[in-house]
Amino acid sequence: ETGVTQSPTHLIKTRGQQVTLRCSSQSGHNTVSWYQQALGQGPQFIFQYYREEENGRGNFPPRFSGLQFPNYSSELNVNALELDDSALYLCASSFRDRVTDTQYFGPGTRLTVL
Amino acid sequence: KQEVTQIPAALSVPEGENLVLNCSFTDSAIYNLQWFRQDPGKGLTSLLLIQSSQREQTSGRLNASLDKSSGRSTLYIAASQPGDSATYLCAVTNSGYSTLTFGKGTMLLVSP
């Protein structure tokens, strides 16, 4: 157990809808990263939040957006869902430390878009 | 753009065998490299993290090596067990910030 939790576990939506996924960081961590993992692929970086500000973004369109709250929990919002958004969404928390920067992953949210 | 490749894509071995999983990356300016384990439909569990200045890390039956100049890492699993069956992912962090670039993974099946 990493101490990182995600909700919900599974979610089914239809094309065009909007979805919000949630992540609770491990205690003491100040950085949250979100990844999308399609079936049979490695996780792809979506974006990262450090102390409530976006601190890097992967190759994802603006309809993917996020928030980090003062308690360092985080949300991933996806608007105008497309079929290709079906994937496992993983969040990872870490503490910005230049010596080690191990990321601790949550169990993921499985999103299915019909 | 950093790219990570893992070979083989899948591996099936009998219990007790020693095995090697391979990972290569195109940009050698990495900050660190991690090996993860992923059980079907589950999140990722970090197995080993190697800083760019290190050559190897060991944890129990696992040993990971890093050759930064050639852009390669190997994960050695000794005396494999059916419980080792999972997908193993290699990921690198480039200098700057701690985002991970992953390979597609090696799916390992260890038969009793």
Side-chain angles (χ1 to χ4, degrees), chain A residues 41 51 59 62-63 74-75 107:
Chain A
Q41 303 293 314
R51 295 191 174 185
N59 190 26
R63 59 190 186 83
S74 177
E75 286 183 356

Side-chain angles (χ1 to χ4, degrees), chain B residues 61-88:
Chain B
R61 295 182 294 108
L62 305 180
N63 175 275
S65 67
L66 173 64
D67 185 342
K68 187 180 163 184
S69 61
S70 67
R72 294 180 184 180
S73 176
T74 61
L75 178 66
Y76 175 82
I77 303 177
S80 58
Q81 303 172 356
D84 295 330
S85 298
T87 295
Y88 290 81

Side-chain angles (χ1 to χ4, degrees), chain A residues 8 10-14 17 19 81 109-114:
Chain A
H10 296 92
L11 202 52
I12 299 175
K13 292 285 189 178
T14 56
Q17 286 189 311
V19 68
L81 283 167
T109 293
R110 171 72 63 187
L111 173 64
T112 301
V113 182
L114 303 175

Side-chain angles (χ1 to χ4, degrees), chain B residues 88-109:
Chain B
Y88 290 81
L89 293 155
C90 167
V92 298
T93 302
N94 284 93
S95 300
Y97 42 81
S98 58
T99 60
L100 293 161
T101 302
F102 285 87
K104 292 184 178 181
T106 293
M107 186 182 302
L108 173 65
L109 177 63

Side-chain angles (χ1 to χ4, degrees), chain B residues 2-36:
Chain B
Q2 178 73 272
E3 292 184 1
V4 179
T5 302
Q6 291 188 244
I7 295 173
L11 184 61
S12 182
V13 300
E15 181 177 6
E17 275 204 5
N18 302 324
L19 54 97
V20 175
L21 308 182
N22 297 291
C23 171
S24 61
F25 45 94
T26 55
D27 182 354
S28 62
I30 64 169
Y31 188 61
N32 60 41
L33 181 145
Q34 280 186 265
W35 284 92
F36 292 89

Side-chain angles (χ1 to χ4, degrees), chain A residues 50-72:
Chain A
Y50 171 61
R51 295 191 174 185
E52 303 178 54
E53 292 195 1
E54 188 176 293
N55 187 48
R57 188 178 185 92
N59 190 26
F60 281 81
R63 59 190 186 83
F64 286 77
S65 63
L67 284 172
Q68 187 182 30
F69 299 100
N71 65 356
Y72 300 127

